[in-house]
């Protein structure tokens, strides 16, 4: 350990001090499983379904909708609990639709858009109540208060029906009125989002409009859901998706778009009344399949998250908002998935008040935001051998002279193990698994006792600069591994 600390001190001295609170080369930890074997087919939704203040996940599989309670921190999710058994459901939205303090679900079930009522802490759900017949290719449902009465109405993008419409929440029975059309176009209606573009305090609608189905918004004329005609933002562009956020920090709602074979485009709300600038391409974004907005680095500016599908896989990346007339610089990769990602969300999984990234391929995966990292965050990368994968935990605050403990458990009893440590993340295929640290220092031949444990205790040296990151992972000889090895999860230490 002292040797590694000396290397860390030397490396840090040759560099400028880190400026981000995470002090890592990337804001996010590497990809790690969150729910294994969930077999998500198209959709999942985050939300606090049992009212304990933690972020749970509702997941649509090929045969059911289930939800998984959060265990808190980096402990992942608990066993699944059934919401509805049905074939090929799709989760569309969540929200407290009936005002009882419980988070409900909007789903596609059979030939209808349905409301799944949470009857209490997620323990029991009412069977799906049809809201409206399903339009072919229904793309989006958003729960948003469009009539300013304090409850959540529903805003639909009707897909091949070519309409954007909304259903009023009556507060009674049935809970929703039949849909009212806001916009109708000759093509596919792929999105509809509520936002206040003219600063009058009610929700307008961003969608497509006009004869060509161009990017447009519709003003809420009376605050009660009477919408005007299309106000065109870009007459020559029909995006696949568009969302609203204050991207230039002037207090009004701007627009960012995405679409196949086109870069991400930014439109600035110039006067706070819905007059928009010409489009501004975000450099380095081509054929982006999805875009989301959130303050990922907690600096008060709204950043961009993108998903880009290609034959080589799906890249998830983020763009830091650096302010100014062209706020977005180059992208920073978060993860690369081996196949197309079906859904993604930015949500605080570990309860540390920053936004992590969660996505669905065949399993539910996540990348932890290390901005406000808990002590010794686990980064995944474990590889099972004769039994379940070994577990590595760290203890100690890495301050000068502090005691640091590396505790390995669950390894093959009587084997030997090597502790790999690095000043950067490698995350490369190795011995049938994933070598997470760059192997700057390897302590090999460490004995594993009869209980499958090895504990290394040492003193962290003086002179290591604040903000230096060190990655740790154990590799253990184990004939039950793919090529004779098992690996622990990797963990990350950050000097204070």
């Amino acid at each position: 350990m002292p040797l590694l600390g000396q290397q860390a001190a030397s490396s840090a001295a040759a560099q400028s001090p880190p400026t981000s609170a995470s002090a890592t080369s990337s804001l996010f930890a590497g990809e790690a499983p969150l729910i294994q074997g969930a077999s998500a087919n198209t959709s999942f939704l985050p939300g606090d379904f049992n009212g304990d203040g933690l972020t749970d996940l509702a997941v649509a599989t090929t045969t059911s909708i289930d939800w998984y309670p959060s265990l808190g921190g980096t402990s992942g999710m608990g066993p699944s609990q059934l919401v509805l058994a049905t074939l090929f459901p799709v989760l569309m939205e969540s929200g407290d639709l009936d005002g009882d303090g419980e988070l409900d679900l909007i789903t596609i079930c059979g030939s209808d858009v349905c409301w799944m009522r949470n009857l209490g802490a997620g323990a029991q759900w009412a069977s799906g109540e049809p809201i409206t017949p399903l339009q072919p290719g229904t793309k989006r449902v958003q729960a948003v208060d469009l009539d300013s009465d304090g409850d959540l109405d529903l805003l639909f993008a009707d897909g091949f029906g070519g309409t954007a419409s909304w259903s009023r929440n009556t507060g009674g029975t049935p809970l929703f009125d039949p849909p009212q059309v806001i916009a109708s176009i000759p093509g596919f209606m792929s999105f509809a989002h509520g936002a206040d573009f003219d600063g009058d305090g009610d929700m307008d609608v961003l969608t497509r409009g006009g004869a060509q189905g161009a990017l447009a918004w519709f003003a809420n004329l009376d605050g009660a859901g009477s919408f005007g005609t299309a106000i065109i933002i870009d007459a020559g562009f029909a995006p696949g998706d568009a969302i609203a956020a204050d991207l230039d920090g002037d207090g009004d709602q701007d627009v960012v778009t995405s679409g196949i074979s086109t870069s991400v485009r930014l439109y600035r709300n110039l006067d706070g009344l819905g007059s928009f600038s010409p489009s501004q391409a975000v450099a380095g974004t081509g054929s982006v399949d999805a875009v989301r907005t959130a303050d990922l680095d907690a600096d008060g500016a709204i950043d961009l998250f993108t998903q880009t599908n290609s034959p080589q896989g799906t890249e998830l990346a983020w763009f830091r908002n650096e302010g100014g007339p062209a706020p977005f610089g180059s992208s920073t990769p978060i993860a690369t998935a081996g196949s197309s990602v079906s859904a993604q969300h930015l949500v605080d999984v570990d309860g540390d008040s920053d936004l992590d990234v969660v996505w669905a391929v065949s399993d539910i995966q996540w990348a932890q935001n290390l901005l406000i990292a808990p002590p010794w965050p686990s980064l995944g990368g474990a590889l099972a051998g004769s039994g379940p994968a070994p577990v590595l935990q760290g203890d100690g605050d890495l301050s000068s002279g502090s005691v640091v403990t590396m505790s390995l458990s669950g390894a093959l009893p009587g084997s030997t193990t090597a502790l790999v440590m690095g000043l950067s993340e490698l995350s490369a295929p190795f011995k049938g698994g994933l070598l997470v640290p760059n192997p700057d220092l390897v302590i090999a031949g460490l004995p594993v006792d009869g209980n499958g444990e090895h504990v290394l205790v040492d003193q962290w040296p003086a002179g290591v600069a604040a903000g230096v990151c060190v990655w740790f992972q154990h590799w253990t000889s184990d004939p039950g591994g793919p090529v004779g090895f098992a690996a622990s999860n990797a963990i990350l230490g950050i000097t204070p």
Side-chain angles (χ1 to χ4, degrees), residues 305-346:
F305 165 87
T306 60
Q307 172 191 324
T308 304
N309 295 336
S310 73
Q312 292 73 42
T314 299
E315 182 182 80
L316 307 177
W318 75 286
F319 293 75
R320 185 174 184 269
N321 190 331
E322 299 173 349
F328 299 107
S330 59
S331 66
T332 301
I334 297 173
T336 300
S339 57
S340 181
V341 170
S342 59
Q344 76 300 119
H345 291 279
L346 308 177

Side-chain angles (χ1 to χ4, degrees), residues 62-481:
T62 54
T63 58
S64 65
I65 296 172
D66 305 279
W67 76 279
Y68 294 77
S70 172
L71 300 178
T74 58
S75 299
M77 301 288 161
S80 64
Q81 301 186 35
L82 181 67
V83 176
L84 177 69
T86 185
L87 292 177
F88 303 109
V90 179
L91 285 164
M92 303 298 289
E93 179 65 299
S94 62
D96 182 9
L97 301 177
D98 55 357
D100 64 352
E102 305 285 350
L103 200 60
D104 309 309
L105 292 170
I106 297 295
T107 72
I108 292 176
C109 51
S111 59
D112 294 298
V113 177
C114 299
W115 166 45
M116 302 294 305
R117 184 184 176 196
N118 186 343
L119 297 178
Q124 186 176 0
W125 299 76
S127 59
E129 175 183 319
I131 297 170
T132 182
L134 180 65
Q135 297 296 321
T138 293
K139 186 70 173 177
R140 294 285 175 84
V141 180
Q142 182 187 14
V144 57
D145 185 7
L146 293 172
D147 56 3
S148 309
D149 65 352
D151 55 29
L152 293 175
D153 310 302
L154 297 180
L155 176 61
F156 302 96
D158 292 332
F160 290 110
T163 62
S165 59
W166 75 287
S167 288
R168 187 188 310 273
N169 188 329
T170 68
T173 303
L175 188 61
F176 292 98
D177 281 340
Q180 306 174 47
V181 173
I182 298 170
S184 181
I185 62 171
F188 187 83
M189 186 65 82
S190 55
F191 64 90
H193 297 285
D196 183 8
F197 292 112
D198 51 11
D200 63 355
D202 56 38
M203 289 291 104
D204 310 304
V205 171
L206 175 69
T207 184
R208 294 173 59 187
Q212 304 302 317
L215 178 64
W217 70 282
F218 291 75
N220 192 334
L221 300 177
D222 58 1
S226 296
F227 291 92
T229 57
I231 302 172
I232 303 299
I233 297 174
D234 189 339
F237 183 50
D241 195 10
I243 52 178
D246 182 11
L247 298 169
D248 55 7
D250 63 354
D252 54 35
Q253 295 293 295
D254 310 302
V255 171
V256 63
T257 67
S258 64
I260 305 298
S261 302
T262 182
S263 61
V264 172
R265 301 187 185 190
L266 168 63
Y267 299 82
R268 295 179 57 229
N269 190 335
L270 298 175
D271 56 4
L273 301 175
S275 298
F276 286 88
S277 69
S279 69
Q280 174 185 319
V282 175
T285 58
S287 192
V288 169
D289 295 83
V291 62
R292 293 184 180 273
T293 59
D295 183 6
L296 296 174
D297 55 1
D299 64 351
I302 302 298
D303 309 305
L304 293 182
F305 165 87
T306 60
Q307 172 191 324
T308 304
N309 295 336
S310 73
Q312 292 73 42
T314 299
E315 182 182 80
L316 307 177
W318 75 286
F319 293 75
R320 185 174 184 269
N321 190 331
E322 299 173 349
F328 299 107
S330 59
S331 66
T332 301
I334 297 173
T336 300
S339 57
S340 181
V341 170
S342 59
Q344 76 300 119
H345 291 279
L346 308 177
V347 63
D348 183 11
V349 172
D350 51 8
D352 63 356
S353 301
D354 56 30
L355 294 175
D356 311 300
V357 180
V358 187
W359 65 94
V361 187
S362 56
D363 294 332
I364 306 294
Q365 306 284 327
W366 77 303
Q368 184 184 19
N369 189 326
L370 300 175
L371 181 71
I372 310 174
W376 299 98
S378 177
L379 308 180
L383 175 66
S386 300
V391 176
L392 176 60
Q393 294 179 303
D395 185 62
D397 62 9
L398 297 182
S399 61
S400 178
S402 64
V403 174
V404 176
T405 304
M406 294 284 160
S407 300
L408 178 70
S409 61
L412 181 66
S415 63
T416 60
T417 187
L419 179 61
V420 182
M421 297 176 279
L423 299 176
S424 61
E425 180 181 347
L426 180 63
S427 290
F430 181 72
K431 302 294 186 183
L434 189 69
L435 179 61
V436 178
N438 194 65
D440 296 314
L441 181 66
V442 179
I443 305 177
L446 301 173
V448 176
D449 68 18
N451 295 318
E453 298 177 351
H454 176 83
V455 179
L456 180 62
V457 180
D458 209 334
Q459 187 176 40
W460 192 253
V464 181
V468 170
C469 297
V470 188
W471 284 256
F472 301 83
Q473 187 180 29
H474 266 282
W475 282 82
T476 304
S477 59
D478 188 331

